[in-house]
Amino acid sequence: MATKELRKTTLAEMKDKYIGKEGTTERDAYEYELKMEVLGKMIKTARKERNLTQEQLGKLVGVQKSQISKLESSANSATVDTILKVFKALKAEINFHVKMEDNFIKLA
């Protein structure tokens, strides 16, 4: 009986197989949703560390509690301006980095 060598599959390989290769529409959409989900969780964590309710944070930002709830569950419907206002109200720093060829552009 021949023994098969067990090979570990990487996360990148799994994504390629089940979602699509990097650069495909499906993969780009997946990566975007994942980043927005992480951003939402970061907002929620920062809010809780500041001992604020969604309603209190909404008042600081100038939006309704429901908008904060939507941000925390998935930030993909928020504008960059709103996200920056939320982090400013939380007294938290957020940085965006854009890489153009070999140069980084930083928006803080």
Side-chain angles (χ1 to χ4, degrees), residues 23-106:
T24 62
T25 304
E26 295 83 7
R27 180 71 171 266
D28 288 347
Y30 168 81
E31 297 292 343
Y32 175 79
E33 289 293 324
L34 183 61
K35 289 174 186 172
M36 293 301 103
E37 186 176 320
V38 169
L39 183 59
K41 289 182 188 289
M42 290 169 62
I43 291 169
K44 184 175 186 174
T45 300
R47 175 181 61 78
K48 287 186 170 190
E49 284 185 15
R50 298 284 190 237
N51 294 313
L52 294 170
T53 65
Q54 290 178 338
E55 187 172 356
Q56 290 169 326
L57 179 57
K59 285 181 182 176
L60 290 171
V61 177
V63 299
Q64 298 291 318
K65 173 189 180 256
S66 60
Q67 176 126 11
I68 300 300
S69 177
K70 287 178 188 176
L71 281 172
E72 290 181 356
S73 63
S74 178
N76 64 357
S77 63
T79 65
V80 172
D81 187 51
T82 300
I83 292 169
L84 291 174
K85 285 180 183 178
V86 167
F87 281 104
K88 184 175 181 179
L90 290 168
K91 296 183 174 108
E93 184 178 319
I94 183 170
N95 296 298
F96 293 93
H97 297 275
V98 177
K99 183 177 180 184
M100 295 179 66
E101 297 174 13
D102 292 330
N103 298 314
F104 281 95
I105 299 170
K106 183 177 177 182

